[in-house]
Amino acid sequence: MQEHQHYPSISVVIPTLNEAQNLYHILPKMPAIVSEVILVDGHSTDDTIIVAKQLLPTIHILQQQEKGKGDAMRTGFSACTSDIIVMLDADGSANPAEIVRFVEALMAGFDFAKGSRFIKGGGSRDITLLRKMGNYMLCQFANLLFRQRFSDLCYGYNAFWRHCLEQVDIDCDGFEIESQLCLRMHKAHYKIIEVPSLEHVRIHGQSNLHTFRDGWRVLKTIVRERRTKLIGTPHSSLLHTQGQHSTPFVEEASIR
């Protein structure tokens, strides 16, 4: 990867579990602004690692010791050396070209750029009605408890400055990592912006997401995070962006 002079250094973390066929649709499309790609493999039994090395010889591959997306992401985060960390799924549902949009949102002064399928410019060709309803209810519940107006709590396309991990610790193991990361960024009073993202259909294989089991884990995460103390000053903000323009979404929301 070539580092562009006008962009900070960027690390992309990709968790994989038998995603060999999908990597052909992900790695060749990685934007040139990306400095390093870290693939965390969760005990794949196909040619995921071989394909990854063929497609991107500079890729940094880590073997996950435990199980779960949250554990894989923690492993990847600890290995990142760049200024910005981007979370990217390997199933083909996320378009790597959108990385530029996330990075530019951070460069505009925000700490955490949160992908959203449910604001103008975003969308999903993959989510089922059941999952959409579950995400909506979980999101509304979190908004009620945290006095926020998040539009999409359970989406894995996110980016943030690496220094945020000095205040935000991730200790979950499963798909609830997206919710935990978002809520802990909010509790640490980092500036959050929602970025529109289009989710595509998984190209090959079956998703490891289990609607009811993982939904229950997200619900427990929301309740647990509300019970723990806030960090820093009692102010945080959430905005959303549409392309190159940012508009206020929630102004100086405070939690008591």
Side-chain angles (χ1 to χ4, degrees):
M1 298 290 174
Q2 295 182 350
E3 182 178 349
H4 281 207
Q5 184 176 2
H6 300 297
Y7 285 90
S9 56
I10 302 164
S11 296
V12 177
V13 178
I14 306 175
T16 58
L17 177 59
N18 297 326
E19 301 286 5
Q21 296 182 73
N22 291 321
L23 293 180
Y24 288 100
H25 303 273
I26 298 297
L27 296 182
K29 298 179 180 179
M30 203 63 62
I33 64 171
V34 173
S35 308
E36 67 177 358
V37 178
I38 297 174
L39 184 149
V40 184
D41 188 63
H43 316 283
S44 292
T45 56
D46 66 357
D47 293 332
T48 291
I49 295 177
I50 295 174
V51 171
K53 290 180 178 178
Q54 290 175 343
L55 293 174
L56 190 63
T58 59
I59 197 167
H60 185 190
I61 296 178
L62 302 176
Q63 289 284 356
Q64 185 178 354
Q65 298 303 310
E66 302 297 332
K67 295 182 180 180
K69 185 177 183 179
D71 177 76
M73 283 299 182
R74 282 202 310 273
T75 300
F77 293 167
S78 65
C80 290
T81 61
S82 301
D83 299 318
I84 289 174
I85 297 176
V86 179
M87 302 164 59
L88 184 70
D89 289 339
D91 59 7
S93 63
N95 182 1
E98 291 184 357
I99 289 175
V100 176
R101 181 185 300 170
F102 283 81
V103 170
E104 291 182 348
L106 297 179
M107 293 174 65
F110 295 91
D111 302 302
F112 181 56
K114 181 180 183 350
S116 174
R117 298 162 289 182
F118 306 121
I119 59 176
K120 186 176 180 180
S124 177
R125 298 170 181 168
D126 180 65
I127 193 168
T128 64
L129 179 60
L130 178 61
R131 285 172 48 207
K132 185 175 182 179
M133 292 175 58
N135 182 65
Y136 175 80
M137 290 187 290
L138 290 168
C139 196
Q140 293 304 308
F141 182 57
N143 287 338
L144 178 65
L145 293 185
F146 290 90
R147 299 183 184 178
Q148 282 292 293
R149 291 178 60 190
F150 294 116
S151 65
D152 195 353
L153 192 65
C154 308
Y155 189 45
Y157 208 163
N158 303 290
F160 55 91
W161 293 97
R162 182 164 63 98
H163 67 74
C164 292
L165 294 177
E166 297 173 5
Q167 294 291 329
V168 174
D169 181 43
I170 301 301
D171 55 14
C172 64
D173 295 327
F175 283 95
E176 69 273 16
I177 181 176
E178 292 107 4
S179 303
Q180 186 185 77
L181 180 62
C182 175
L183 295 177
R184 290 191 176 181
M185 287 285 183
H186 167 68
K187 289 164 58 179
H189 307 295
Y190 285 122
K191 293 176 65 178
I192 301 173
I193 187 168
E194 288 197 323
V195 176
S197 177
L198 177 60
E199 180 184 38
H200 299 272
V201 177
R202 165 182 272 273
I203 300 174
H204 297 285
Q206 298 294 321
S207 173
N208 295 305
L209 177 69
H210 298 276
T211 302
F212 292 102
R213 183 194 68 186
D214 292 311
W216 175 244
R217 292 174 69 121
V218 171
L219 178 61
K220 291 193 295 183
T221 296
I222 295 171
V223 173
R224 183 168 56 248
E225 292 305 315
R226 186 60 185 90
R227 289 175 176 172
T228 57
K229 293 182 179 180
L230 305 180
I231 303 172
T233 57
H235 294 287
S236 64
S237 60
L238 168 67
L239 283 80
H240 68 180
T241 178
Q242 299 174 11
Q244 299 295 321
H245 304 284
S246 298
T247 55
F249 192 39
V250 173
E251 299 180 357
E252 296 298 317
S254 62
I255 300 176
R256 293 179 178 84

Short mmCIF file of all heavy atoms in Angstrom, two decimals, residues 121-181:
data_model
loop_
_atom_site.label_atom_id
_atom_site.label_comp_id
_atom_site.label_asym_id
_atom_site.label_seq_id
_atom_site.Cartn_x
_atom_site.Cartn_y
_atom_site.Cartn_z
N GLY A 121 -28.26 8.38 2.10
CA GLY A 121 -27.03 7.97 1.44
C GLY A 121 -26.61 6.56 1.80
O GLY A 121 -25.76 5.97 1.14
N GLY A 122 -27.21 6.00 2.87
CA GLY A 122 -26.91 4.63 3.27
C GLY A 122 -28.00 3.69 2.84
O GLY A 122 -28.99 4.08 2.23
N GLY A 123 -27.84 2.42 3.16
CA GLY A 123 -28.85 1.43 2.80
C GLY A 123 -28.32 0.03 3.01
O GLY A 123 -27.15 -0.17 3.35
N SER A 124 -29.18 -0.95 2.83
CA SER A 124 -28.77 -2.35 2.97
C SER A 124 -29.52 -3.22 1.97
O SER A 124 -30.74 -3.12 1.83
CB SER A 124 -29.04 -2.86 4.39
OG SER A 124 -28.70 -4.24 4.48
N ARG A 125 -28.76 -4.06 1.29
CA ARG A 125 -29.34 -5.05 0.39
C ARG A 125 -29.28 -6.44 1.01
O ARG A 125 -29.56 -7.42 0.34
CB ARG A 125 -28.57 -5.04 -0.94
CG ARG A 125 -28.66 -3.71 -1.67
CD ARG A 125 -27.72 -3.64 -2.85
NE ARG A 125 -27.82 -2.34 -3.53
CZ ARG A 125 -26.95 -1.91 -4.45
NH1 ARG A 125 -25.94 -2.69 -4.81
NH2 ARG A 125 -27.10 -0.73 -5.01
N ASP A 126 -28.90 -6.48 2.28
CA ASP A 126 -28.66 -7.77 2.92
C ASP A 126 -29.55 -8.01 4.15
O ASP A 126 -29.95 -9.13 4.42
CB ASP A 126 -27.19 -7.87 3.34
CG ASP A 126 -26.87 -9.19 4.03
OD1 ASP A 126 -26.97 -10.24 3.36
OD2 ASP A 126 -26.52 -9.17 5.23
N ILE A 127 -29.86 -6.95 4.89
CA ILE A 127 -30.55 -7.12 6.17
C ILE A 127 -31.97 -7.64 5.97
O ILE A 127 -32.71 -7.20 5.09
CB ILE A 127 -30.57 -5.78 6.95
CG1 ILE A 127 -30.98 -6.01 8.41
CG2 ILE A 127 -31.45 -4.76 6.27
CD1 ILE A 127 -30.74 -4.80 9.29
N THR A 128 -32.35 -8.61 6.80
CA THR A 128 -33.70 -9.16 6.76
C THR A 128 -34.64 -8.26 7.57
O THR A 128 -34.20 -7.43 8.37
CB THR A 128 -33.73 -10.57 7.35
OG1 THR A 128 -33.37 -10.51 8.74
CG2 THR A 128 -32.77 -11.50 6.61
N LEU A 129 -35.93 -8.44 7.37
CA LEU A 129 -36.91 -7.65 8.11
C LEU A 129 -36.78 -7.89 9.60
O LEU A 129 -36.85 -6.96 10.41
CB LEU A 129 -38.33 -8.00 7.65
CG LEU A 129 -39.47 -7.26 8.37
CD1 LEU A 129 -39.34 -5.76 8.18
CD2 LEU A 129 -40.82 -7.76 7.86
N LEU A 130 -36.55 -9.14 10.00
CA LEU A 130 -36.40 -9.46 11.41
C LEU A 130 -35.20 -8.77 12.01
O LEU A 130 -35.28 -8.17 13.09
CB LEU A 130 -36.28 -10.98 11.59
CG LEU A 130 -36.08 -11.48 13.02
CD1 LEU A 130 -37.28 -11.09 13.89
CD2 LEU A 130 -35.87 -13.00 13.04
N ARG A 131 -34.07 -8.83 11.33
CA ARG A 131 -32.86 -8.17 11.83
C ARG A 131 -33.02 -6.66 11.84
O ARG A 131 -32.54 -5.97 12.74
CB ARG A 131 -31.66 -8.58 11.00
CG ARG A 131 -31.15 -9.99 11.28
CD ARG A 131 -30.08 -10.41 10.28
NE ARG A 131 -29.07 -9.38 10.14
CZ ARG A 131 -28.34 -9.20 9.04
NH1 ARG A 131 -28.55 -9.96 7.97
NH2 ARG A 131 -27.43 -8.26 8.99
N LYS A 132 -33.72 -6.12 10.84
CA LYS A 132 -33.93 -4.68 10.80
C LYS A 132 -34.78 -4.22 11.97
O LYS A 132 -34.48 -3.20 12.61
CB LYS A 132 -34.61 -4.30 9.47
CG LYS A 132 -34.77 -2.81 9.26
CD LYS A 132 -35.34 -2.51 7.88
CE LYS A 132 -35.45 -1.02 7.66
NZ LYS A 132 -35.98 -0.70 6.30
N MET A 133 -35.82 -4.98 12.28
CA MET A 133 -36.68 -4.64 13.42
C MET A 133 -35.91 -4.77 14.73
O MET A 133 -36.03 -3.92 15.62
CB MET A 133 -37.90 -5.56 13.44
CG MET A 133 -38.87 -5.32 12.29
SD MET A 133 -40.22 -6.52 12.28
CE MET A 133 -40.93 -6.26 13.91
N GLY A 134 -35.10 -5.82 14.85
CA GLY A 134 -34.30 -6.01 16.06
C GLY A 134 -33.30 -4.90 16.25
O GLY A 134 -33.13 -4.36 17.36
N ASN A 135 -32.62 -4.51 15.16
CA ASN A 135 -31.65 -3.43 15.24
C ASN A 135 -32.33 -2.12 15.64
O ASN A 135 -31.82 -1.35 16.45
CB ASN A 135 -30.95 -3.27 13.89
CG ASN A 135 -29.89 -2.18 13.91
OD1 ASN A 135 -28.89 -2.28 14.61
ND2 ASN A 135 -30.11 -1.12 13.14
N TYR A 136 -33.51 -1.88 15.08
CA TYR A 136 -34.24 -0.65 15.39
C TYR A 136 -34.61 -0.60 16.87
O TYR A 136 -34.43 0.43 17.54
CB TYR A 136 -35.50 -0.57 14.53
CG TYR A 136 -36.38 0.61 14.87
CD1 TYR A 136 -36.08 1.88 14.38
CD2 TYR A 136 -37.50 0.45 15.68
CE1 TYR A 136 -36.89 2.97 14.70
CE2 TYR A 136 -38.31 1.53 15.99
CZ TYR A 136 -38.00 2.79 15.51
OH TYR A 136 -38.79 3.87 15.84
N MET A 137 -35.12 -1.70 17.40
CA MET A 137 -35.53 -1.71 18.81
C MET A 137 -34.34 -1.58 19.75
O MET A 137 -34.39 -0.84 20.75
CB MET A 137 -36.32 -2.99 19.11
CG MET A 137 -37.70 -3.02 18.46
SD MET A 137 -38.73 -4.42 18.96
CE MET A 137 -37.85 -5.77 18.17
N LEU A 138 -33.25 -2.25 19.43
CA LEU A 138 -32.04 -2.14 20.25
C LEU A 138 -31.48 -0.72 20.20
O LEU A 138 -31.05 -0.17 21.21
CB LEU A 138 -30.99 -3.14 19.79
CG LEU A 138 -31.30 -4.61 20.07
CD1 LEU A 138 -30.33 -5.52 19.31
CD2 LEU A 138 -31.21 -4.91 21.57
N CYS A 139 -31.53 -0.14 19.01
CA CYS A 139 -31.03 1.21 18.84
C CYS A 139 -31.88 2.21 19.62
O CYS A 139 -31.34 3.10 20.31
CB CYS A 139 -31.03 1.56 17.35
SG CYS A 139 -30.03 2.99 16.91
N GLN A 140 -33.19 2.06 19.56
CA GLN A 140 -34.07 2.96 20.29
C GLN A 140 -33.89 2.82 21.80
O GLN A 140 -33.95 3.80 22.55
CB GLN A 140 -35.52 2.71 19.90
CG GLN A 140 -35.85 3.09 18.45
CD GLN A 140 -35.50 4.53 18.15
OE1 GLN A 140 -35.90 5.45 18.86
NE2 GLN A 140 -34.73 4.73 17.09
N PHE A 141 -33.68 1.59 22.24
CA PHE A 141 -33.46 1.35 23.67
C PHE A 141 -32.18 2.04 24.13
O PHE A 141 -32.14 2.69 25.18
CB PHE A 141 -33.38 -0.16 23.92
CG PHE A 141 -33.21 -0.53 25.36
CD1 PHE A 141 -34.11 -0.11 26.33
CD2 PHE A 141 -32.13 -1.31 25.76
CE1 PHE A 141 -33.95 -0.45 27.66
CE2 PHE A 141 -31.95 -1.66 27.10
CZ PHE A 141 -32.87 -1.23 28.05
N ALA A 142 -31.11 1.90 23.32
CA ALA A 142 -29.85 2.57 23.66
C ALA A 142 -30.00 4.08 23.63
O ALA A 142 -29.48 4.78 24.51
CB ALA A 142 -28.75 2.13 22.68
N ASN A 143 -30.73 4.59 22.66
CA ASN A 143 -30.95 6.04 22.59
C ASN A 143 -31.69 6.55 23.82
O ASN A 143 -31.40 7.64 24.33
CB ASN A 143 -31.74 6.38 21.33
CG ASN A 143 -30.92 6.24 20.07
OD1 ASN A 143 -29.70 6.29 20.11
ND2 ASN A 143 -31.58 6.06 18.94
N LEU A 144 -32.65 5.77 24.30
CA LEU A 144 -33.40 6.16 25.49
C LEU A 144 -32.51 6.20 26.71
O LEU A 144 -32.54 7.16 27.49
CB LEU A 144 -34.55 5.17 25.70
CG LEU A 144 -35.42 5.39 26.95
CD1 LEU A 144 -36.17 6.72 26.85
CD2 LEU A 144 -36.40 4.23 27.12
N LEU A 145 -31.67 5.19 26.87
CA LEU A 145 -30.81 5.12 28.05
C LEU A 145 -29.67 6.14 28.02
O LEU A 145 -29.27 6.66 29.05
CB LEU A 145 -30.23 3.71 28.19
CG LEU A 145 -31.20 2.58 28.51
CD1 LEU A 145 -30.43 1.27 28.73
CD2 LEU A 145 -32.04 2.89 29.74
N PHE A 146 -29.16 6.41 26.81
CA PHE A 146 -27.99 7.28 26.71
C PHE A 146 -28.32 8.67 26.18
O PHE A 146 -27.43 9.47 25.95
CB PHE A 146 -26.94 6.61 25.80
CG PHE A 146 -26.30 5.41 26.41
CD1 PHE A 146 -26.84 4.15 26.23
CD2 PHE A 146 -25.15 5.53 27.19
CE1 PHE A 146 -26.25 3.03 26.80
CE2 PHE A 146 -24.55 4.43 27.76
CZ PHE A 146 -25.10 3.17 27.57
N ARG A 147 -29.62 8.93 25.96
CA ARG A 147 -30.05 10.24 25.49
C ARG A 147 -29.34 10.62 24.20
O ARG A 147 -28.81 11.72 24.05
CB ARG A 147 -29.83 11.31 26.56
CG ARG A 147 -30.60 11.05 27.85
CD ARG A 147 -30.40 12.15 28.84
NE ARG A 147 -31.08 11.86 30.11
CZ ARG A 147 -31.04 12.65 31.16
NH1 ARG A 147 -30.37 13.80 31.11
NH2 ARG A 147 -31.67 12.32 32.28
N GLN A 148 -29.34 9.70 23.28
CA GLN A 148 -28.72 9.93 21.98
C GLN A 148 -29.72 9.65 20.87
O GLN A 148 -30.88 9.29 21.13
CB GLN A 148 -27.49 9.02 21.82
CG GLN A 148 -26.27 9.52 22.57
CD GLN A 148 -25.72 10.80 21.97
OE1 GLN A 148 -25.22 10.82 20.85
NE2 GLN A 148 -25.81 11.88 22.73
N ARG A 149 -29.28 9.80 19.63
CA ARG A 149 -30.13 9.54 18.47
C ARG A 149 -29.34 8.75 17.43
O ARG A 149 -29.30 9.13 16.26
CB ARG A 149 -30.68 10.84 17.89
CG ARG A 149 -31.69 11.52 18.79
CD ARG A 149 -32.17 12.84 18.20
NE ARG A 149 -32.81 12.65 16.90
CZ ARG A 149 -33.14 13.65 16.08
NH1 ARG A 149 -32.86 14.89 16.44
NH2 ARG A 149 -33.72 13.41 14.93
N PHE A 150 -28.73 7.68 17.86
CA PHE A 150 -28.05 6.82 16.91
C PHE A 150 -29.07 6.22 15.95
O PHE A 150 -30.18 5.87 16.34
CB PHE A 150 -27.31 5.69 17.64
CG PHE A 150 -26.17 6.14 18.50
CD1 PHE A 150 -26.21 5.96 19.88
CD2 PHE A 150 -25.06 6.77 17.96
CE1 PHE A 150 -25.17 6.38 20.68
CE2 PHE A 150 -24.02 7.20 18.75
CZ PHE A 150 -24.06 7.00 20.12
N SER A 151 -28.69 6.05 14.71
CA SER A 151 -29.60 5.48 13.73
C SER A 151 -29.29 4.01 13.43
O SER A 151 -30.12 3.31 12.86
CB SER A 151 -29.54 6.28 12.42
OG SER A 151 -28.27 6.16 11.82
N ASP A 152 -28.10 3.55 13.80
CA ASP A 152 -27.69 2.18 13.46
C ASP A 152 -26.66 1.72 14.47
O ASP A 152 -25.49 2.10 14.41
CB ASP A 152 -27.10 2.15 12.05
CG ASP A 152 -27.00 0.75 11.47
OD1 ASP A 152 -27.26 -0.21 12.22
OD2 ASP A 152 -26.66 0.61 10.28
N LEU A 153 -27.09 0.88 15.41
CA LEU A 153 -26.20 0.46 16.50
C LEU A 153 -25.40 -0.79 16.18
O LEU A 153 -24.32 -0.98 16.71
CB LEU A 153 -27.05 0.22 17.77
CG LEU A 153 -26.30 0.06 19.07
CD1 LEU A 153 -25.57 1.35 19.44
CD2 LEU A 153 -27.24 -0.34 20.19
N CYS A 154 -25.93 -1.63 15.30
CA CYS A 154 -25.33 -2.96 15.08
C CYS A 154 -24.75 -3.08 13.68
O CYS A 154 -25.16 -3.93 12.89
CB CYS A 154 -26.37 -4.05 15.33
SG CYS A 154 -27.21 -3.94 16.91
N TYR A 155 -23.79 -2.22 13.37
CA TYR A 155 -23.16 -2.25 12.05
C TYR A 155 -21.66 -2.23 12.23
O TYR A 155 -21.13 -1.45 13.02
CB TYR A 155 -23.64 -1.06 11.22
CG TYR A 155 -23.22 -1.09 9.76
CD1 TYR A 155 -23.32 -2.26 9.02
CD2 TYR A 155 -22.73 0.05 9.13
CE1 TYR A 155 -22.96 -2.29 7.68
CE2 TYR A 155 -22.37 0.03 7.80
CZ TYR A 155 -22.48 -1.14 7.07
OH TYR A 155 -22.12 -1.17 5.74
N GLY A 156 -20.96 -3.06 11.47
CA GLY A 156 -19.55 -3.28 11.73
C GLY A 156 -18.57 -2.42 10.96
O GLY A 156 -17.36 -2.58 11.11
N TYR A 157 -19.08 -1.50 10.13
CA TYR A 157 -18.18 -0.64 9.35
C TYR A 157 -17.96 0.64 10.14
O TYR A 157 -18.82 1.51 10.20
CB TYR A 157 -18.81 -0.34 8.00
CG TYR A 157 -17.83 -0.07 6.87
CD1 TYR A 157 -18.25 -0.12 5.54
CD2 TYR A 157 -16.49 0.25 7.11
CE1 TYR A 157 -17.38 0.11 4.49
CE2 TYR A 157 -15.62 0.49 6.08
CZ TYR A 157 -16.07 0.43 4.76
OH TYR A 157 -15.19 0.67 3.72
N ASN A 158 -16.80 0.77 10.77
CA ASN A 158 -16.50 1.92 11.62
C ASN A 158 -15.03 2.29 11.48
O ASN A 158 -14.20 1.47 11.08
CB ASN A 158 -16.79 1.59 13.09
CG ASN A 158 -18.21 1.15 13.33
OD1 ASN A 158 -19.14 1.94 13.22
ND2 ASN A 158 -18.41 -0.13 13.63
N ALA A 159 -14.70 3.52 11.85
CA ALA A 159 -13.31 3.98 11.84
C ALA A 159 -13.10 4.94 13.00
O ALA A 159 -14.02 5.65 13.41
CB ALA A 159 -12.99 4.67 10.52
N PHE A 160 -11.89 4.94 13.52
CA PHE A 160 -11.58 5.83 14.65
C PHE A 160 -10.08 6.05 14.74
O PHE A 160 -9.27 5.30 14.18
CB PHE A 160 -12.11 5.22 15.96
CG PHE A 160 -11.61 3.83 16.25
CD1 PHE A 160 -10.46 3.60 16.98
CD2 PHE A 160 -12.32 2.72 15.78
CE1 PHE A 160 -10.01 2.31 17.25
CE2 PHE A 160 -11.88 1.43 16.03
CZ PHE A 160 -10.72 1.23 16.76
N TRP A 161 -9.71 7.11 15.44
CA TRP A 161 -8.30 7.39 15.68
C TRP A 161 -7.76 6.37 16.68
O TRP A 161 -8.41 6.08 17.68
CB TRP A 161 -8.10 8.81 16.23
CG TRP A 161 -8.44 9.89 15.25
CD1 TRP A 161 -9.61 10.57 15.17
CD2 TRP A 161 -7.60 10.39 14.20
NE1 TRP A 161 -9.56 11.48 14.13
CE2 TRP A 161 -8.34 11.39 13.51
CE3 TRP A 161 -6.30 10.10 13.77
CZ2 TRP A 161 -7.82 12.10 12.43
CZ3 TRP A 161 -5.78 10.80 12.68
CH2 TRP A 161 -6.53 11.78 12.04
N ARG A 162 -6.59 5.85 16.42
CA ARG A 162 -6.04 4.79 17.27
C ARG A 162 -5.85 5.26 18.72
O ARG A 162 -5.98 4.47 19.66
CB ARG A 162 -4.71 4.30 16.70
CG ARG A 162 -4.07 3.15 17.49
CD ARG A 162 -3.00 2.46 16.67
NE ARG A 162 -1.90 3.34 16.34
CZ ARG A 162 -0.73 3.38 17.02
NH1 ARG A 162 -0.54 2.57 18.04
NH2 ARG A 162 0.22 4.21 16.65
N HIS A 163 -5.59 6.54 18.91
CA HIS A 163 -5.39 7.03 20.27
C HIS A 163 -6.64 6.91 21.14
O HIS A 163 -6.56 6.97 22.37
CB HIS A 163 -4.89 8.48 20.27
CG HIS A 163 -5.89 9.48 19.76
ND1 HIS A 163 -6.99 9.88 20.49
CD2 HIS A 163 -5.96 10.15 18.59
CE1 HIS A 163 -7.69 10.76 19.80
NE2 HIS A 163 -7.09 10.94 18.64
N CYS A 164 -7.80 6.72 20.52
CA CYS A 164 -9.03 6.55 21.29
C CYS A 164 -8.97 5.30 22.16
O CYS A 164 -9.65 5.22 23.20
CB CYS A 164 -10.24 6.46 20.36
SG CYS A 164 -10.62 8.00 19.48
N LEU A 165 -8.19 4.31 21.76
CA LEU A 165 -8.09 3.07 22.53
C LEU A 165 -7.39 3.29 23.87
O LEU A 165 -7.41 2.40 24.72
CB LEU A 165 -7.34 2.01 21.72
CG LEU A 165 -8.06 1.54 20.44
CD1 LEU A 165 -7.18 0.54 19.69
CD2 LEU A 165 -9.41 0.91 20.78
N GLU A 166 -6.79 4.46 24.06
CA GLU A 166 -6.20 4.78 25.36
C GLU A 166 -7.29 4.98 26.41
O GLU A 166 -7.06 4.78 27.60
CB GLU A 166 -5.33 6.03 25.25
CG GLU A 166 -4.14 5.86 24.32
CD GLU A 166 -3.39 7.17 24.10
OE1 GLU A 166 -3.76 8.19 24.74
OE2 GLU A 166 -2.45 7.19 23.29
N GLN A 167 -8.49 5.39 25.96
CA GLN A 167 -9.61 5.62 26.87
C GLN A 167 -10.72 4.58 26.73
O GLN A 167 -11.55 4.44 27.63
CB GLN A 167 -10.20 7.01 26.61
CG GLN A 167 -9.29 8.16 26.95
CD GLN A 167 -9.06 8.30 28.45
OE1 GLN A 167 -9.92 7.98 29.24
NE2 GLN A 167 -7.89 8.77 28.82
N VAL A 168 -10.73 3.88 25.61
CA VAL A 168 -11.80 2.92 25.34
C VAL A 168 -11.22 1.52 25.27
O VAL A 168 -10.39 1.21 24.42
CB VAL A 168 -12.52 3.25 24.01
CG1 VAL A 168 -13.52 2.17 23.66
CG2 VAL A 168 -13.20 4.61 24.12
N ASP A 169 -11.67 0.67 26.17
CA ASP A 169 -11.21 -0.71 26.22
C ASP A 169 -12.32 -1.62 25.70
O ASP A 169 -13.49 -1.46 26.07
CB ASP A 169 -10.85 -1.09 27.66
CG ASP A 169 -10.35 -2.51 27.77
OD1 ASP A 169 -9.55 -2.92 26.91
OD2 ASP A 169 -10.77 -3.23 28.70
N ILE A 170 -11.96 -2.56 24.85
CA ILE A 170 -12.92 -3.51 24.30
C ILE A 170 -12.69 -4.85 24.97
O ILE A 170 -11.59 -5.41 24.90
CB ILE A 170 -12.77 -3.63 22.78
CG1 ILE A 170 -12.98 -2.27 22.11
CG2 ILE A 170 -13.75 -4.66 22.22
CD1 ILE A 170 -14.32 -1.65 22.39
N ASP A 171 -13.73 -5.41 25.61
CA ASP A 171 -13.55 -6.66 26.33
C ASP A 171 -14.63 -7.69 26.02
O ASP A 171 -14.80 -8.67 26.74
CB ASP A 171 -13.49 -6.41 27.84
CG ASP A 171 -14.71 -5.65 28.36
OD1 ASP A 171 -15.71 -5.56 27.63
OD2 ASP A 171 -14.64 -5.15 29.50
N CYS A 172 -15.38 -7.47 24.93
CA CYS A 172 -16.39 -8.46 24.53
C CYS A 172 -15.81 -9.38 23.47
O CYS A 172 -14.77 -9.09 22.86
CB CYS A 172 -17.65 -7.77 24.01
SG CYS A 172 -17.38 -6.81 22.52
N ASP A 173 -16.48 -10.49 23.22
CA ASP A 173 -15.94 -11.49 22.31
C ASP A 173 -16.73 -11.64 21.01
O ASP A 173 -16.20 -12.15 20.02
CB ASP A 173 -15.89 -12.87 23.00
CG ASP A 173 -14.92 -12.89 24.17
OD1 ASP A 173 -13.90 -12.18 24.10
OD2 ASP A 173 -15.19 -13.60 25.15
N GLY A 174 -18.00 -11.25 21.00
CA GLY A 174 -18.86 -11.56 19.86
C GLY A 174 -19.20 -10.36 18.99
O GLY A 174 -18.51 -9.34 18.98
N PHE A 175 -20.35 -10.48 18.29
CA PHE A 175 -20.80 -9.44 17.38
C PHE A 175 -21.25 -8.18 18.13
O PHE A 175 -21.44 -7.14 17.50
CB PHE A 175 -21.96 -9.96 16.52
CG PHE A 175 -21.52 -10.87 15.41
CD1 PHE A 175 -21.52 -12.24 15.57
CD2 PHE A 175 -21.11 -10.34 14.19
CE1 PHE A 175 -21.11 -13.08 14.54
CE2 PHE A 175 -20.70 -11.16 13.16
CZ PHE A 175 -20.70 -12.55 13.33
N GLU A 176 -21.39 -8.27 19.43
CA GLU A 176 -21.78 -7.09 20.20
C GLU A 176 -20.67 -6.05 20.26
O GLU A 176 -20.85 -4.96 20.82
CB GLU A 176 -22.22 -7.48 21.61
CG GLU A 176 -21.12 -7.98 22.52
CD GLU A 176 -20.87 -9.48 22.40
OE1 GLU A 176 -21.31 -10.09 21.41
OE2 GLU A 176 -20.20 -10.03 23.30
N ILE A 177 -19.52 -6.35 19.67
CA ILE A 177 -18.41 -5.39 19.69
C ILE A 177 -18.81 -4.05 19.08
O ILE A 177 -18.40 -3.00 19.55
CB ILE A 177 -17.16 -5.95 18.96
CG1 ILE A 177 -16.03 -4.91 19.03
CG2 ILE A 177 -17.47 -6.36 17.54
CD1 ILE A 177 -14.74 -5.36 18.44
N GLU A 178 -19.65 -4.09 18.02
CA GLU A 178 -20.03 -2.82 17.39
C GLU A 178 -20.78 -1.92 18.36
O GLU A 178 -20.53 -0.72 18.43
CB GLU A 178 -20.89 -3.08 16.14
CG GLU A 178 -20.13 -3.74 15.01
CD GLU A 178 -20.50 -5.19 14.81
OE1 GLU A 178 -21.42 -5.67 15.51
OE2 GLU A 178 -19.88 -5.85 13.96
N SER A 179 -21.70 -2.50 19.12
CA SER A 179 -22.48 -1.73 20.08
C SER A 179 -21.61 -1.28 21.25
O SER A 179 -21.70 -0.13 21.69
CB SER A 179 -23.65 -2.57 20.60
OG SER A 179 -24.47 -3.00 19.53
N GLN A 180 -20.78 -2.18 21.74
CA GLN A 180 -19.92 -1.81 22.87
C GLN A 180 -18.96 -0.70 22.50
O GLN A 180 -18.77 0.26 23.25
CB GLN A 180 -19.12 -3.03 23.36
CG GLN A 180 -18.32 -2.72 24.62
CD GLN A 180 -17.44 -3.88 25.05
OE1 GLN A 180 -16.38 -4.11 24.47
NE2 GLN A 180 -17.88 -4.61 26.07
N LEU A 181 -18.35 -0.80 21.33
CA LEU A 181 -17.41 0.23 20.89
C LEU A 181 -18.10 1.58 20.76
O LEU A 181 -17.58 2.60 21.23
CB LEU A 181 -16.79 -0.18 19.56
CG LEU A 181 -15.77 0.79 18.96
CD1 LEU A 181 -14.57 0.94 19.88
CD2 LEU A 181 -15.33 0.31 17.58
#
